[in-house]
Amino acid sequence: IQVTFLQDFGDLPLLIPDGTNLGQTSGVDPPLLTAQKVVTGDKESDICSSHGTCDEDKGICQCLDDWMTSDGYGNAGTRGDCGHRSTGTTSTCPGEPACLGHGTCLGPPTYRCDCESGRSGPDCSLIDCPTGKSWFSFPTAANAAHSDGECSDMGICNRNTGQCECASGFEGAACQYLTCQQDCLGNGECQSMATLAGSNEVNGVPTPYTYGSDPNNSLTWDSDQVFGCFCSDNFEGYNCNLKSCPKGDDPNTQHQDNEIQQLSCTDSNDAGYFELSFRGQSVSVTATNTAADLETALNGLSVIEEVSISYNDPSIYVGAPSLDPDALQICRASEGLIDIEFKSPTGNVPQMDISNLVGIDGALTITTTRDGTKEYITCSGRGICDHTSGLCKCFPGFASSDGQGNLGSRRDCGARNPYAYGT
């Protein structure tokens, strides 16, 4: 069987035969079904036969003077392709001057324009638009997709201006960016996926990832094209439109603990200093600082609401008699042990880090001596967050707490309300 393509021109792909339903009534050899190309098509398959421009809104060719629809073979027909010359013969290239000065006339027999870069159309009158990685094109091979397309295949090219008219939600000269909704409403930053990956956190600790750093990884092709909102503190949601509510411990769960981390420092000359970090923020600590000094410094961090710091040795306290000169220092010649209790945030918080150590001549460590087992959840799990105001609406019987289950001012629904039922 020979198949001749009469209306599909050019070098066409090979037909793929499917013998799934092909059977046989005799013989032992299975049916063999193959296809091969006998003649390669060499006719052009140009838009509007290169003698007209396409109205992309209507899908209709607007033919040049003296050209009209053809039958595909130069005669008058109904293909709507501008492939038939209605009068006279061709002796010049289209345009005045030829090719409108934006291309080279190839002369006989075709008298076609070879347009300069950035121009197209039969007379080079059309201005090409910028290209970018296509959002939704067909793959060209295994693990090969998103080849460059005009307006990234997510916009319409205005060929009078050479500018892309992008679909809603996309922007950029080539419509190459999927943008943030409403620019995050001014409550965050619009960042690419590559940048957002670098801003990742695990349990509040900066834990950056890389996304798109390998140009040969086809799976991360969109690293610099898809954008999302990185919300400012106290805002959340895909476009940062929601105000965050306070978090706290569920007052209905019992026998849970605050986390305690212990700082151990030995220094004989009182000349050392170091930095103590928590969730990406740090304080500078000197060997002569007291527990009260450290408590004040840590409570000044935005990632800590309240810590309570005490001396591990119960005989050391302000005003105790016969104290060594360095007894109240964080770093002591005979080792200082400081307990840091996290009252808010609650839960199993990350262990603090020691860095930039200078002049400490003994041991300096931080260890977790008791994991936090309390919850740290929105409205303490005992209310509904009103994301318009950022305030919790507590369930009956619950009220604002101090973070430790007592009545307080945190507005977190973390305390049982003894007055809820008139008792």
Side-chain angles (χ1 to χ4, degrees):
I1 299 175
Q2 179 171 303
V3 178
T4 302
F5 291 89
L6 301 178
Q7 291 294 314
D8 297 278
F9 304 129
D11 186 3
L12 301 175
L14 193 65
L15 289 172
I16 301 176
D18 182 2
T20 303
N21 297 318
L22 187 64
Q24 62 184 28
T25 58
S26 63
V28 295
D29 294 328
L32 180 64
L33 189 61
T34 63
Q36 63 179 353
K37 189 177 292 189
V38 178
V39 177
T40 299
D42 58 3
K43 296 188 69 172
E44 297 86 5
S45 184
D46 298 339
I47 295 175
C48 299
S49 301
S50 290
H51 292 293
T53 57
C54 177
D55 184 334
E56 295 179 349
D57 291 332
K58 301 177 181 179
I60 297 175
C61 290
Q62 297 176 337
C63 301
L64 297 173
D65 292 343
D66 301 328
W67 291 90
M68 59 183 295
T69 179
S70 81
D71 63 355
Y73 295 90
N75 307 308
T78 59
R79 299 183 81 246
D81 61 354
C82 306
H84 169 65
R85 185 170 180 83
S86 58
T87 59
T89 59
T90 301
S91 59
T92 60
C93 283
E96 182 61 41
C99 308
L100 298 179
H102 293 293
T104 301
C105 180
L106 298 180
T110 62
Y111 289 99
R112 297 177 63 179
C113 289
D114 181 17
C115 299
E116 64 187 26
S117 177
R119 289 277 180 163
S120 59
D123 57 357
C124 304
S125 62
L126 306 180
I127 305 175
D128 297 338
C129 284
T131 63
K133 285 181 284 188
S134 175
W135 287 99
F136 299 110
S137 63
F138 285 104
T140 56
N143 294 320
H146 306 286
S147 55
D148 281 358
E150 196 170 48
C151 300
S152 305
D153 293 324
M154 195 46 69
I156 297 175
C157 179
N158 184 329
R159 302 199 179 280
N160 293 322
T161 63
Q163 295 179 337
C164 294
E165 298 171 357
C166 301
S168 176
F170 295 82
E171 62 181 40
C175 307
Q176 71 271 37
Y177 301 127
L178 176 59
T179 59
C180 297
Q181 294 292 315
Q182 299 170 291
D183 200 26
C184 308
L185 296 172
N187 300 324
E189 293 183 4
C190 187
Q191 299 180 354
S192 69
M193 291 181 69
T195 302
L196 286 170
S199 303
N200 181 66
E201 294 181 350
V202 175
N203 196 11
V205 178
T207 311
Y209 291 103
T210 58
Y211 185 85
S213 59
D214 180 1
N216 297 315
N217 186 348
S218 60
L219 300 179
T220 58
W221 66 274
D222 55 357
S223 63
D224 59 350
Q225 293 193 217
V226 176
F227 282 68
C229 290
F230 185 76
C231 298
S232 304
D233 290 344
N234 302 318
F235 288 93
E236 57 190 85
Y238 72 96
N239 64 347
C240 305
N241 64 322
L242 306 177
K243 291 184 178 180
S244 303
C245 286
K247 295 181 178 181
D249 174 48
D250 184 346
N252 271 10
T253 54
Q254 305 297 314
H255 311 297
Q256 296 175 316
D257 297 314
N258 293 326
E259 177 146 329
I260 295 179
Q261 298 181 18
Q262 190 174 85
L263 177 68
S264 173
C265 182
T266 303
D267 184 47
S268 63
N269 58 17
D270 295 343
Y273 58 91
F274 58 94
E275 287 189 357
L276 198 58
S277 302
F278 181 76
R279 288 181 171 171
Q281 298 183 19
S282 62
V283 295
S284 181
V285 183
T286 65
T288 57
N289 282 153
T290 65
D293 295 331
L294 181 58
E295 182 175 291
T296 299
L298 288 176
N299 283 329
L301 298 179
S302 64
V303 290
I304 291 178
E305 185 174 339
E306 182 182 4
V307 293
S308 176
I309 299 182
S310 61
Y311 298 99
N312 183 259
D313 182 351
S315 67
I316 299 176
Y317 57 92
V318 177
S322 303
L323 289 177
D324 294 332
D326 66 351
L328 298 179
Q329 293 180 190
I330 288 174
C331 299
R332 302 170 58 198
S334 58
E335 184 186 34
L337 292 177
I338 304 296
D339 288 333
I340 304 171
E341 180 179 1
F342 285 82
K343 293 187 173 181
S344 183
T346 48
N348 189 8
V349 300
Q351 185 169 286
M352 291 187 286
D353 292 318
I354 296 172
S355 61
N356 298 327
L357 171 62
V358 177
I360 301 293
D361 58 13
L364 177 61
T365 62
I366 182 97
T367 56
T368 299
T369 58
R370 188 175 73 187
D371 287 330
T373 56
K374 293 182 177 181
E375 295 83 13
Y376 190 64
I377 52 180
T378 300
C379 299
S380 303
R382 298 297 156 184
I384 300 296
C385 179
D386 181 349
H387 286 293
T388 302
S389 63
L391 299 176
C392 293
K393 294 181 178 179
C394 300
F395 298 148
F398 298 92
S400 176
S401 86
D402 63 352
Q404 298 298 302
N406 308 304
L407 293 176
S409 58
R410 298 187 72 250
R411 298 185 175 184
D412 60 354
C413 307
R416 294 180 180 181
N417 187 356
Y419 309 106
Y421 305 104
T423 58

